[in-house]
């Protein structure tokens, strides 16, 4: 009889005649990863209990007991003294069980008009809203750091590349501002995603709503949600808000990864455009001379796992019939790891951007390799009346001659240049300088130093 009773108590309820095996228990439990939702679970429960009391569904005394018990649980968790039990499956049941131990029946009444289905959806949204706010702040810091770097190097010239071949000279400030734009769109995506994250599922209960006279708007207001989810089935089942976040996060990492690729190339001694402060690099266990750009390399690598998490969540969702299914428990680890990876990466990059030393001489020397001002020469001829295609051809001949002689376009004499087009005059030499080339691209979005400065002013005004 005793054995029977204890067996039953390990199972879900009187509905079950035997407990799950240890393996199944471990397989189905989520407490070891979802316990990080504890603070949000408690926030959600307190808002729910407050509403239940306000509506007369539980007593004022019950509410006070719940508040007292939750305060105790919060301090136990903060002190690392809370005992998380695998037997209690997840964060929700662990906290509820402890609450009941501490305050008795009031703890058992907390779950009135609620299900773990709307509870967990609420917890994740609260968690993700916080994470989005952190990430948005970090994107801002990174943009500010890159903007500072752009300002220091508004006039520094490096070769711009297409196909990894020298294309046209650009300013380093302009190059940095390209990333400022990318991270700006990432911040917009985060802000937009936040709108859809910030809606309250509680009240949906298991899937169909509840028979109790609840006040969902009150709970939404207490928790700072902008609105309530409008359909109970949808509220407990869809995780599109998390998928959307992971997509935005994957784009953040994609931008970080592209930047990383450039930093790695630029720091190679073969290129030598930049140096990265020692605290972001490591050495080699065998080659004493090495200083490796580990941080950008790792960030490039970690982009893969974030992309993977996006696919994991999309795949998790695609086969689920309405409404809640246990599949959804698998949303957490990918989501948590995405948040951790993006947060750490942005924090490090915002710091690292301030630890980049630019080597303008190396950039300048590289800009002289590859006939970076050839387009300027063609444009010059067009301005003198030659159709662009003819100008393109004339300059191609000039470049060919330079390749044969092993010199730059600017090294050709006026007579040499006039062999390719008699429209060339003395004023051509300004056009062939790197400074002349970048300064001439003087329109919104162009690389001219004064456009870089104007763009910096716009970004600063936007970031406040
Ligand atoms: N641990 C579960 C999850 O993460 C909580 C919801 C469980 N609901 C249920 N009906 N089994 O999704």
């Amino acid at each position: 009889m005793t054995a029977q009773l204890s067996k039953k108590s390990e199972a879900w309820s009187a509905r079950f005649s035997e407990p799950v095996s240890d393996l199944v228990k471990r397989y189905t439990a989520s407490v070891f990863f979802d316990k990080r939702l504890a603070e949000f679970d408690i926030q959600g429960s307190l808002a729910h209990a407050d509403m239940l009391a306000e509506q007369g569904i539980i007593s004022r005394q019950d509410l006070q007991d719940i508040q007292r018990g939750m305060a105790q649980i919060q301090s136990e968790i903060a002190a690392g003294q809370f005992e998380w039990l695998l037997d209690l499956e997840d964060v929700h049941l662990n906290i509820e069980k402890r609450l009941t131990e501490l305050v008795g029946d009031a703890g058992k009444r907390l779950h009135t008009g609620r299900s773990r289905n709307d509870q967990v959806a609420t917890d994740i949204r609260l968690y993700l809203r916080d994470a989005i706010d952190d990430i948005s702040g970090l994107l801002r810091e990174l943009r500010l750091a890159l903007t500072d770097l752009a300002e220091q190097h508004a006039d520094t010239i490096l070769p711009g590349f297409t196909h990894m071949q020298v294309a046209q000279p650009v300013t380093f400030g302009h190059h940095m501002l390209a990333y400022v734009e990318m991270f700006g769109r990432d911040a917009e995506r985060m802000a937009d995603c936040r709108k859809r994250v910030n809606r309250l599922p509680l009240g949906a209960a298991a899937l169909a709503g509840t028979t109790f006279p609840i006040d969902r708007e009150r709970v939404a207001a207490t928790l700072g949600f902008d609105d309530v989810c409008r359909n109970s089935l949808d509220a407990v089942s869809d995780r599109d808000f998390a998928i959307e976040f992971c997509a935005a996060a994957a784009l953040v990492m994609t931008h970080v990864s592209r930047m990383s690729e450039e930093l790695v190339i630029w720091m190679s001694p073969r290129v030598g455009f930049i140096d990265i402060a020692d605290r972001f690099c490591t050495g080699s266990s065998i080659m004493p001379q090495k200083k490796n750009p580990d941080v950008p390399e790792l960030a490039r690598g970690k982009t893969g796992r974030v992309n993977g998490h996006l696919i994991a969540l999309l795949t998790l969702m695609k086969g689920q019939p309405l409404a809640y299914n246990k599949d959804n428990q698998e949303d957490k680890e990918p989501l948590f790891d995405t948040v951790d990876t993006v947060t750490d990466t942005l924090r490090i990059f915002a710091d690292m951007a301030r630890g980049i030393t630019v080597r303008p001489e190396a950039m300048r020397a590289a800009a002289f390799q590859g006939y970076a001002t050839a387009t300027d020469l063609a444009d010059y001829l067009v301005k003198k009346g030659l159709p662009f295609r003819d100008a393109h051809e004339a300059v191609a001949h000039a470049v060919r001659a330079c390749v044969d002689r092993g010199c730059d376009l600017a090294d050709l004499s006026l007579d040499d240049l006039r062999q390719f087009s008699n429209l060339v005059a003395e004023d051509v030499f300004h056009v062939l300088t790197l400074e002349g080339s970048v300064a001439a691209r003087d329109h919104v979005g162009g690389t001219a130093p004064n456009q870089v400065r104007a763009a910096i002013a716009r970004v600063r005004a936007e970031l406040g």
Side-chain angles (χ1 to χ4, degrees), residues 143-367:
R143 293 180 79 208
L144 281 172
L146 293 174
T147 304
D148 286 349
L149 194 55
E151 191 161 44
Q152 289 157 31
H153 293 285
D155 299 284
T156 302
I157 296 174
L158 77 163
F161 295 86
T162 59
H163 315 271
M164 279 294 279
Q165 309 287 317
V166 169
Q168 292 171 353
V170 293
T171 49
F172 189 70
H174 192 56
H175 201 116
M176 286 300 103
L177 288 177
Y179 286 105
V180 172
E181 289 295 305
M182 294 178 228
F183 293 123
R185 289 193 299 280
D186 287 329
E188 283 175 27
R189 267 185 284 275
M190 287 292 165
D192 198 57
C193 173
R194 189 188 193 280
K195 292 182 207 159
R196 285 173 291 281
V197 168
N198 202 29
R199 291 177 195 164
L200 174 76
L202 272 180
L207 77 166
T210 172
T211 57
F212 294 95
I214 56 172
D215 179 353
R216 299 186 68 204
E217 274 73 24
R218 183 184 174 89
V219 180
T222 309
L223 293 173
F225 283 111
D226 296 326
D227 200 355
V228 300
C229 297
R230 295 279 152 190
N231 181 292
S232 63
L233 294 163
D234 177 43
V236 293
S237 65
D238 207 349
R239 296 290 183 264
D240 60 352
F241 62 91
I243 296 174
E244 203 181 316
F245 166 79
C246 285
L251 280 168
V252 171
M253 290 304 292
T254 298
H255 293 149
V256 166
S257 184
R258 296 191 69 189
M259 182 176 204
S260 297
E261 175 76 3
E262 298 210 298
L263 295 176
V264 170
I265 292 171
W266 290 346
M267 206 182 119
S268 157
R270 297 282 297 265
V271 177
F273 285 4
I274 60 160
D275 195 17
I276 297 179
D278 286 1
R279 65 183 183 280
F280 302 102
C281 303
T282 65
S284 154
S285 58
I286 176 170
M287 297 166 284
Q289 84 284 12
K290 291 295 286 291
K291 175 177 165 184
N292 299 327
D294 291 45
V295 165
E297 288 172 41
L298 254 181
R300 195 173 57 190
K302 284 176 187 288
T303 304
R305 68 202 264 168
V306 171
N307 289 350
H309 295 326
L310 170 61
I311 298 301
L313 291 193
L314 282 166
T315 311
L316 175 72
M317 211 68 243
K318 72 176 274 297
Q320 287 193 51
L322 295 183
Y324 176 88
N325 303 278
K326 186 81 167 185
D327 312 41
N328 279 341
Q329 185 166 288
E330 284 288 304
D331 64 357
K332 283 167 207 66
E333 288 164 293
L335 185 61
F336 294 161
D337 190 64
T338 300
V339 167
D340 291 344
T341 305
V342 172
T343 305
D344 287 351
T345 303
L346 288 175
R347 188 164 287 136
I348 292 177
F349 268 65
D351 189 14
M352 192 174 66
R354 299 191 184 279
I356 293 175
T357 307
V358 172
R359 305 252 183 262
E361 338 71 55
M363 292 182 175
R364 192 172 178 82

Side-chain angles (χ1 to χ4, degrees), residues 1 19 31 33-34 62 201 255 281 324 340 357 371 380 385 387 417:
M1 183 64 192
V31 63
F33 53 84
D34 68 16
D62 283 337
H255 293 149
C281 303
Y324 176 88
D340 291 344
T357 307
Y371 314 102
Y380 168 89
L417 284 165

